[in-house]
Amino acid sequence: MTNHVDHPAFRNVIRTAASLYDYQAEHADQMRFETPGGKNVGLYWELPDTREKLIARGNAAYALATRSGGWLGRSPDHVASVMTGMITHLEVFEEYSRDRAEALKNYYLYARDKDLYLAFTLVNPQGDRSKTPSEHTKNLFHSLGVLEEKPQGIIVRGTKMLGTAAILAEEVFVSVFNPLKESADNKYALSFALPLNTKGIKILSRKSYEIGSNKFDSPLAHQFDENDAVIYFDDVLVPWERVFVYIPVIIETA
């Protein structure tokens, strides 16, 4: 089976997630807002500039959470709120790089206008906890890093986790949570976003709690198993317009 929407491990939670969008459509006055371009999208994408808008945003988040009793912690508003928070402090990214800040702003507008369901992966996989990624000398791509820079973007290889709700999402936002060493770990200091069906992205999900369950005996697992996943990037091209943080790779030549 190639269509995960009907896979017995995921089909019920996918329908639960879809019902959240249905709920927003049915309660548009409380759950959505109109963008400057006329798009009607989830209120979690709005940049609140008044006390009233901030309260309305909080009420919308609460309403979504009640639909699953709080069991869908990575519902559509979660990573969208992360992106929105980043945009409220865009000047931090502009101080780093105007090109990367422009990419982030444009991606936010793109994701907002399509009301995308985003997952994120921030954590490097566990190896030797006493070492940073560059110190894993037997496998320098144990964690996600830059393999090569090309005119059209960067080629990345390696693993990130935990992709909670990745099996529900349309795109994945990638960043770094673990501490890195300056200079030595530059290739791992990355942030970008890509569709999850991009060539070379592999979603390695944990065992499903939903599969084999029934609504009577396992009412929570049956509907609310948003799942976790390791995301592996097998020499994936990230176009420049999707790269938000990147330290240029120095290619050593003979």
Side-chain angles (χ1 to χ4, degrees):
M1 180 180 291
T2 57
N3 188 354
H4 80 297
V5 170
D6 295 317
H7 195 287
F10 312 121
R11 60 192 175 194
N12 292 323
V13 70
I14 286 172
R15 282 157 178 76
T16 298
S19 74
L20 299 180
Y21 285 97
D22 293 338
Y23 180 81
Q24 289 186 83
E26 293 163 4
H27 302 81
D29 289 348
Q30 294 80 39
M31 302 299 295
R32 291 184 170 183
F33 80 106
E34 186 174 302
T35 70
K39 302 288 186 179
N40 196 254
V41 301
L43 203 58
Y44 38 79
W45 291 107
E46 186 175 39
L47 304 177
D49 54 8
T50 67
R51 180 177 182 272
E52 291 71 25
K53 286 183 179 180
L54 186 61
I55 292 172
R57 198 176 190 283
N59 289 338
Y62 179 80
L64 278 188
T66 60
R67 304 302 298 169
S68 67
W71 286 100
L72 284 184
R74 299 296 186 267
S75 50
D77 57 315
H78 180 76
V79 181
S81 296
V82 172
M83 299 296 299
T84 302
M86 292 165 66
I87 291 299
T88 63
H89 290 76
L90 189 64
E91 67 276 5
V92 175
F93 291 85
E94 291 173 338
E95 289 173 7
Y96 159 71
S97 166
R98 291 204 169 270
D99 287 343
R100 299 302 106 233
E102 186 70 12
L104 176 62
K105 182 181 73 174
N106 290 338
Y107 180 75
Y108 161 77
L109 295 174
Y110 168 82
R112 181 199 69 184
D113 288 353
K114 289 187 174 293
D115 208 350
L116 291 181
Y117 195 156
L118 305 179
F120 65 11
T121 56
L122 308 178
V123 181
N124 292 332
Q126 292 182 5
D128 184 337
R129 295 191 182 189
S130 69
K131 297 178 179 179
T132 64
S134 63
E135 293 169 338
H136 286 82
T137 54
K138 291 184 178 180
N139 183 1
L140 289 176
F141 292 97
H142 174 261
S143 299
L144 176 73
V146 178
L147 178 68
E148 187 179 357
E149 180 181 317
K150 290 184 172 292
Q152 62 269 43
I154 54 176
I155 307 293
V156 299
R157 176 189 293 175
T159 306
K160 295 294 286 192
M161 51 192 297
L162 294 161
T164 305
I167 53 98
L168 303 175
E170 296 165 285
E171 301 208 3
V172 60
F173 168 66
V174 179
S175 195
V176 184
F177 179 80
N178 305 72
L180 300 174
K181 280 189 176 181
E182 189 174 355
S183 299
D185 288 330
N186 281 0
K187 72 165 65 176
Y188 309 101
L190 286 171
S191 183
F192 60 86
L194 284 175
L196 277 159
N197 64 352
T198 299
K199 182 180 179 181
I201 292 182
K202 296 176 171 64
I203 304 173
L204 310 174
S205 89
R206 63 146 167 79
K207 179 180 179 181
S208 167
Y209 300 143
E210 176 184 324
I211 194 167
S213 70
N214 66 73
K215 195 170 185 177
F216 180 80
D217 292 322
S218 306
L220 300 181
H222 184 70
Q223 299 177 82
F224 304 130
D225 180 20
E226 60 190 358
N227 210 284
D228 297 302
V230 171
I231 312 295
Y232 184 71
F233 296 81
D234 190 3
D235 294 10
V236 175
L237 172 65
V238 186
W240 288 122
E241 63 268 20
R242 292 300 193 97
V243 178
F244 313 137
V245 174
Y246 167 65
I247 300 174
V249 175
I250 298 175
I251 308 290
E252 294 183 3
T253 57

